Amino acid sequence: MNWLNGMLSIILLVLTGWSMRRYVHSLDRALVLSATLCLLAILWQEQWEPWIQKQLPQSASTTLILDSDKVSEVTPNLLLQIEHAQQIQLKGEGYRQSQWHDIPAKRLQWQVPTNKPALQLDSDPRVALGREFELRIKRETASMKPTGTWRAQLLAENGVLLVEEKSRESSVSLRWLAPVAERMVLQAKVFDENDQLIDSGPIPVEVKALDALQVWGRFDASSFDARSLQNLLRQSQAVLDWQTRLGKDIQHIEAPIADVTKMDLMITDAAFLEQQSGASLQKILAQVAQGKTLIVLGANANQTSFWNQRFELALQAVNQTKDAEVVVDVSGFGSMSLSPNAFAVTPSAASKRAMWQAYPQTKGSSAWLWQRSWLRGRIAWIAVSDWHRHAIATPQKLTAWWQQVLDQVHQSEDEQVRWALHEKMPIAGERQVVCVQGVSQGTVATAETEKLALKIYDGAIDQLCAAWRPSQAGWQDFSLSAPELKEAKHNAFYVYPNEAWPSWQRQLKVQATRTFAQRLPANAASTMPQVPLWPLYLLTALLLLALWRRDTRRT
């Protein structure tokens, strides 16, 4: 708007010059000149006001000096002090995420402390029986890498050593296979290069025994890959309803050894679906639409128009060399080489209304799994083959890869409702927030609290949350009730004692404090002392009023 102010200023100066020639008395001319200067000052106040603000002395009360190591609790009195301060000068390790959430955004001056060790722990406390529990520990040191070999231990509740790993890098992973399904609290210890204890603390683990997976499999042609997958599922105690076509009128049928109460997963090869009539195909897709997962082995696909018309999956024949390979990452086992299919999924499949999503989505990796939603269910396309080559040489790696595939595509009824805590390390006595995804309304309850209504929470996307304050450490059982659920869903979270894992708490405080500082960076424009403009407005009005009074008297 500077051009508009410029035009108004020119008009004002022209009128001032005309008025100066009209008035004879010196007082009238002084009033006109003073009123013009005041009006110009009002028009251009955005230009001169910052300069005036910089000349004014800063009030000492605008900066709040706070030591988080001495003042560890965010009290109502402290919140009131922060509210009236313009910026915070913080000393110490900082505060936790739940504490920063209650503090309004302020400019933060803070130096990250580096004189104390810090650890970052990451694990999923819930693991299915038969799968390995993994604890990842990362050391935060002043240098990028430790100077020597350090080690970490995972111990049972009675102190027996379960697993120990050493590392010269900044992180280490501990893997352990639980023998039984139970809820437990293990212990972990971390030692530095001099074999001195850095920190130790509880590691909660809940091992759940899952119901046997019920799988429906149909294949138009026998293959080593299908047979290998069948053996893997059989070894995992899955209930199989499996049929494979061996010839024109010959079928190999494996009937389920137990009653099939609900089919969890459907697996076919591409040729089987291509041979289905319209009614048979609609029957299969109707089951998928009701919430089932369909996995299609795409190695023997042959009718590209069929997949484009019925599934909106664009396939294109590619010229593969004999040694063409797709390297897939297998969590905990490195990588594995597989063969690409003769028909590859074209990029247009992913861009077409975002129906099909590729996995993995990491840049530079070849997508070997494509999936899309189908009403309440899901369809997955396996774009690689020849995994049977690893069944003898590396059976554990192959099992882990297929488990990785099932984790990515299969969603059980329990997984349709997802739970999460805002804090990675909930502490007894501090406010915690539990969130649920998959319900439109409902309540949660614990042994310590009555039913808490789920509400929209700031920062929780597609989730409803409830806040509570655990009074004691240990496992906290939750019960969820919602109109969408036929029966209440149950889950549990572990609440840590206040003194547990000081080095991990230190790292979480640093991360939360950094996040708070980004809400309003320290180099952002500071809130300067306000320049009172009402005297200027009042003076302008009095000058114009005096000119008007003198003109009316003369007339």
Side-chain angles (χ1 to χ4, degrees):
M1 298 296 290
N2 286 341
W3 64 270
L4 180 59
N5 288 346
M7 292 184 63
L8 292 175
S9 299
I10 293 173
I11 295 174
L12 183 59
L13 291 174
V14 171
L15 291 175
T16 300
W18 176 78
S19 299
M20 294 289 285
R21 295 180 60 182
R22 178 189 170 199
Y23 291 114
V24 179
H25 297 287
S26 301
L27 180 58
D28 293 333
R29 292 184 173 183
L31 290 174
V32 170
L33 186 59
S34 300
T36 301
L37 293 176
C38 289
L39 289 172
L40 288 173
I42 293 174
L43 284 175
W44 298 96
Q45 71 179 57
E46 292 183 358
Q47 275 64 40
W48 58 262
E49 187 179 12
W51 183 84
I52 296 294
Q53 288 177 332
K54 291 180 180 179
Q55 310 309 312
L56 295 176
Q58 294 280 340
S59 174
S61 60
T62 58
T63 301
L64 176 64
I65 300 177
L66 186 59
D67 192 337
S68 61
D69 294 344
K70 296 180 180 179
V71 185
S72 58
E73 298 294 330
V74 180
T75 61
N77 183 40
L78 179 58
L79 285 175
L80 186 61
Q81 295 181 48
I82 295 174
E83 185 72 30
H84 290 88
Q86 294 179 357
Q87 63 180 3
I88 302 173
Q89 184 177 338
L90 182 65
K91 300 178 180 179
E93 301 170 356
Y95 291 103
R96 297 172 59 83
Q97 179 181 346
S98 59
Q99 296 172 307
W100 281 121
H101 185 271
D102 298 328
I103 297 177
K106 299 288 182 180
R107 291 189 301 117
L108 184 66
Q109 297 179 358
W110 175 64
Q111 186 69 33
V112 180
T114 58
N115 57 340
K116 296 181 180 179
L119 297 176
Q120 184 173 338
L121 277 64
D122 185 23
S123 66
D124 186 354
R126 281 168 291 277
V127 60
L129 182 63
R131 297 200 202 176
E132 286 186 328
F133 167 76
E134 182 180 9
L135 171 64
R136 295 170 294 276
I137 303 175
K138 183 179 180 181
R139 286 185 63 187
E140 300 291 340
T141 58
S143 59
M144 295 299 295
K145 292 177 61 176
T147 57
T149 302
W150 58 286
R151 60 190 177 97
Q153 295 178 342
L154 187 65
L155 300 96
E157 293 174 303
N158 58 3
V160 175
L161 179 64
L162 300 176
V163 61
E164 181 181 51
E165 292 291 342
K166 298 180 180 181
S167 176
R168 297 183 63 89
E169 304 296 327
S170 59
S171 61
V172 69
S173 293
L174 298 172
R175 293 175 175 273
W176 175 66
L177 184 63
V180 294
E182 63 175 329
R183 186 183 291 176
M184 64 194 82
V185 181
L186 306 178
Q187 294 289 320
K189 294 183 178 181
V190 183
F191 299 88
D192 64 11
E193 297 83 356
N194 300 319
D195 212 29
Q196 297 295 316
L197 181 66
I198 298 176
D199 206 348
S200 63
I203 301 295
V205 180
E206 185 177 18
V207 184
K208 289 187 174 183
L210 301 181
D211 296 333
L213 193 66
Q214 299 182 2
V215 183
W216 179 89
R218 296 294 184 270
F219 301 88
D220 188 69
S222 177
S223 68
F224 291 113
D225 281 345
R227 192 178 305 171
S228 172
L229 176 57
Q230 182 183 11
N231 291 334
L232 288 176
L233 292 171
R234 192 184 293 121
Q235 292 170 9
S236 66
Q237 308 301 318
V239 178
L240 302 181
D241 180 0
W242 204 271
Q243 295 183 17
T244 304
R245 182 180 178 182
L246 303 179
K248 184 175 181 181
D249 297 317
I250 303 175
Q251 294 269 357
H252 178 270
I253 299 176
E254 179 177 341
I257 58 176
D259 293 336
V260 178
T261 56
K262 59 171 184 174
M263 194 62 64
D264 299 307
L265 182 64
M266 306 170 70
I267 304 177
T268 72
D269 59 6
F272 174 81
L273 292 180
E274 291 175 352
Q275 300 302 320
Q276 297 304 298
S277 63
S280 300
L281 183 61
Q282 288 301 323
K283 186 177 179 180
I284 295 173
L285 295 181
Q287 296 186 60
V288 178
Q290 293 175 2
K292 300 291 188 295
T293 298
L294 172 63
I295 297 178
V296 182
L297 310 184
N300 58 0
N302 193 41
Q303 303 177 21
T304 57
S305 59
F306 168 82
W307 297 103
N308 194 19
Q309 293 173 6
R310 304 305 297 264
F311 297 92
E312 297 184 271
L313 180 65
L315 299 178
Q316 184 178 11
V318 292
N319 296 322
Q320 304 283 6
T321 62
K322 185 177 181 180
D323 299 329
E325 290 185 340
V326 174
V327 179
V328 299
D329 293 327
V330 184
S331 178
F333 291 91
S335 61
M336 184 169 65
S337 297
L338 301 175
S339 300
N341 292 344
F343 288 89
V345 180
T346 63
S348 60
S351 60
K352 191 171 184 179
R353 297 195 299 275
M355 287 288 187
W356 290 89
Q357 301 293 330
Y359 177 87
Q361 296 179 338
T362 53
K363 189 175 182 180
S365 300
S366 298
W368 50 267
L369 172 65
W370 295 78
Q371 54 183 323
R372 62 161 294 176
S373 59
W374 193 272
L375 293 183
R376 293 173 54 195
R378 185 176 296 180
I379 300 176
W381 176 271
I382 306 297
V384 289
S385 58
D386 288 342
W387 55 79
H388 66 273
R389 298 177 302 177
H390 303 274
I392 297 177
T394 55
Q396 290 184 330
K397 181 186 291 188
L398 180 59
T399 301
W401 178 71
W402 263 109
Q403 193 62 65
Q404 190 171 300
V405 173
L406 295 180
D407 289 343
Q408 182 68 24
V409 303
H410 178 57
Q411 186 177 14
S412 65
E413 291 184 2
D414 291 337
E415 291 174 337
Q416 293 176 3
V417 176
R418 298 186 178 182
W419 302 69
L421 282 180
H422 263 218
E423 285 280 0
K424 292 183 179 180
M425 184 183 180
I427 298 292
E430 293 187 3
R431 192 193 66 166
Q432 306 298 331
V433 178
V434 59
C435 296
V436 180
Q437 184 179 18
V439 297
S440 59
Q441 58 179 326
T443 59
V444 293
T446 69
E448 297 182 347
T449 64
E450 298 180 354
K451 291 184 177 180
L452 304 172
L454 293 171
K455 301 177 181 178
I456 297 176
Y457 190 79
D458 183 28
I461 302 175
D462 296 332
Q463 294 177 331
L464 296 178
C465 306
W468 97 106
R469 193 178 296 272
S471 61
Q472 58 185 3
W475 287 98
Q476 297 278 332
D477 291 295
F478 283 83
S479 175
L480 169 66
S481 301
E484 297 93 336
L485 304 177
K486 297 179 181 179
E487 59 184 13
K489 296 291 184 181
H490 301 277
N491 206 339
F493 294 98
Y494 184 79
V495 178
Y496 291 81
N498 295 69
E499 67 278 3
W501 289 108
S503 59
W504 188 20
Q505 292 195 46
R506 187 176 301 117
Q507 178 61 20
L508 292 175
K509 289 178 180 178
V510 169
Q511 291 177 350
T513 305
R514 283 174 174 165
T515 302
F516 177 84
Q518 293 173 357
R519 292 166 62 182
L520 192 62
N523 58 0
S526 60
T527 305
M528 295 293 183
Q530 295 297 316
V531 178
L533 296 177
W534 65 265
L536 179 61
Y537 299 145
L538 178 61
L539 177 61
T540 305
L542 290 177
L543 290 171
L544 295 175
L545 180 62
L547 276 173
W548 176 77
R549 288 288 297 173
R550 289 180 64 82
D551 283 344
T552 53
R553 284 182 179 179
R554 280 195 293 268
T555 58

